[in-house]
Amino acid sequence: MRRESKEAMTTTTTEPHRSTSPTDRYSPRQIMIAVVLGVLLLQLGFITSYVAAFHQPTPRDIPIAVVAEIGLPDGIGQQVTDELNLIDGHPVEARTAANTYDARSLIRDREIMGAYVISPTGTDTLITANAAGSSAATALEGIFTKVDAAEHRTFVVRDEVPVAVHDNRGLSGFYLSLGWVVGGYLLAAAIGLLIGAPRTLREAGRHIAIMAGYAAISGFLGALITTHLLGTFTGHLLPLSLLGAGVVFATGIFTMGLRASVGILAVPLAILIFVVLGNPSAGGAFGSNVLPGFYAAIGRWITPGAGTEGVRSIVYFQGTGVGQPIVTLVIYAVLGVALMLGCTARNTRQTAAAA
């Protein structure tokens, strides 16, 4: 009996420290209520966010240039520019350009989204760039239809940077980016739910390596589908593969970092960031200048928007404008890695101290 008591005491004192799970702290009823309420809030947030972003696109500060052709009175270009900037609601932000060539260069350099060329014949030209956002181009047509009607003039439209034949309204890049994003956070969520957060720095390193490998493969395959299988973005396999790898890794590793820091709440948080807020603010066919101000401000700083803008820059503008999406992806990747390693090291120290 004494030997058994001694062994029992030894077993009790040497049993390793075990963290309690939610099922140990709360009843099944409480957990069910929390899950139902959490899913309901995400669902309502999804509906509210998407409808708020897309229910009433309104042009705002669309950058354009005004060109006055030879044969018009001096100063007419500046006069029209000033009048355009005084339109109620400020739908455009107009500036003057010396000639049509300069205006086209500004469009391709992504400094403006359109140009209005005033002709002495009375038939003006509106230069648009559907690849920069078809809704913005459509909005410009609506604005200048009213302007020219008031001045008893007419205009023709010339699309300087059209979307590809197989890229309806420029949406293919948006959906490609969403596919990359979904793959990133789904893999991170699956690892977190089925395997759990890493318990050691070595295990954290393995998780990071797995996500990096998956990002490289899925980024390449997504680009391959759109460039070769579907022929949507022919000729851009390598840069799109690199962009895709960045989008997948940044999204996935940030979700893993959340998992290491806040536990199972990482999944709804990732959905909130990347789906509820990220997808509508990415815009799709809508440029940031026709989205509500809140979505226009956050869109470029969330990975769906960064991916969409990156695809647009690579495919239609020879890489012009891709720098900002890269900065966004780097921020998410660095934060994710830092959270993973920092939280894993902290938990390892706490476990060792409690043992």
Side-chain angles (χ1 to χ4, degrees):
M1 290 292 295
R2 293 178 181 176
R3 181 180 298 176
E4 290 176 357
S5 300
K6 186 176 181 180
E7 289 176 353
M9 292 177 60
T10 303
T11 302
T12 302
T13 57
T14 59
E15 183 178 359
H17 174 75
R18 294 179 182 176
S19 59
T20 58
S21 66
T23 55
D24 297 327
R25 296 194 297 266
Y26 305 103
S27 69
R29 181 182 178 183
Q30 290 174 317
I31 294 173
M32 180 62 72
I33 292 173
V35 169
V36 171
L37 288 177
V39 172
L40 177 62
L41 289 175
L42 283 176
Q43 179 185 13
L44 296 180
F46 183 95
I47 294 170
T48 303
S49 185
Y50 275 68
V51 174
F54 298 135
H55 78 290
Q56 192 177 4
T58 304
R60 182 192 66 260
D61 297 329
I62 301 176
I64 65 168
V66 175
V67 177
E69 291 186 335
I70 297 175
L72 291 167
D74 292 341
I76 190 67
Q78 187 60 55
Q79 178 184 333
V80 171
T81 298
D82 294 340
E83 291 174 354
L84 291 172
N85 286 329
L86 291 175
I87 296 176
D88 290 341
H90 209 258
V92 298
E93 185 176 282
R95 56 192 278 191
T96 59
N99 50 55
T100 304
Y101 176 82
D102 286 349
R104 292 172 60 198
S105 297
L106 290 171
I107 290 174
R108 292 193 170 275
D109 290 340
R110 311 203 69 183
E111 294 187 33
I112 60 174
M113 299 184 72
Y116 181 57
V117 183
I118 311 170
S119 171
T121 65
T123 301
D124 306 321
T125 301
L126 175 63
I127 306 175
T128 61
N130 270 278
S134 60
S135 290
T138 301
L140 287 177
E141 291 185 38
I143 293 167
F144 283 99
T145 296
K146 295 179 181 179
V147 170
D148 274 22
E151 299 294 331
H152 305 288
R153 300 175 68 86
T154 60
F155 70 91
V156 295
V157 179
R158 187 175 76 190
D159 192 354
E160 178 68 18
V161 191
V163 296
V165 175
H166 302 293
D167 184 16
N168 182 37
R169 300 185 66 205
L171 285 171
S172 298
F174 172 64
Y175 289 118
L176 174 60
S177 177
L178 293 194
W180 283 329
V181 169
V182 168
Y185 76 71
L186 279 184
L187 178 61
I191 291 175
L193 291 174
L194 299 176
I195 299 175
R199 293 174 289 275
T200 65
L201 288 176
R202 178 174 294 181
E203 189 174 345
R206 285 199 298 268
H207 287 194
I208 293 171
I210 290 170
M211 181 57 71
Y214 174 81
I217 294 170
S218 61
F220 169 76
L221 291 177
L224 184 67
I225 290 171
T226 54
T227 58
H228 287 69
L229 182 61
L230 300 178
T232 306
F233 301 135
T234 304
H236 300 279
L237 177 60
L238 179 58
L240 286 179
S241 297
L242 295 174
L243 174 68
V247 172
V248 176
F249 182 76
T251 305
I253 205 65
F254 184 78
T255 305
M256 281 184 163
L258 288 178
R259 178 66 178 85
S261 60
V262 300
I264 59 174
L265 287 177
V267 175
L269 279 177
I271 294 174
L272 175 65
I273 295 170
F274 299 121
V275 179
V276 175
L277 294 176
N279 287 2
S281 63
F286 296 84
S288 61
N289 297 90
V290 296
L291 290 175
F294 170 74
Y295 294 94
I298 68 172
R300 65 178 60 191
W301 298 110
I302 308 180
T303 56
T308 301
E309 185 62 21
V311 172
R312 188 176 288 157
S313 299
I314 289 169
V315 173
Y316 295 113
F317 295 94
Q318 291 76 50
T320 300
V322 78
Q324 196 279 324
I326 291 175
V327 170
T328 297
L329 299 179
V330 168
I331 290 173
Y332 276 88
V334 171
L335 284 175
V337 171
L339 282 173
M340 270 196 79
L341 297 180
C343 292
T344 301
R346 180 198 64 192
N347 294 338
T348 300
R349 289 195 299 269
Q350 291 177 347
T351 300

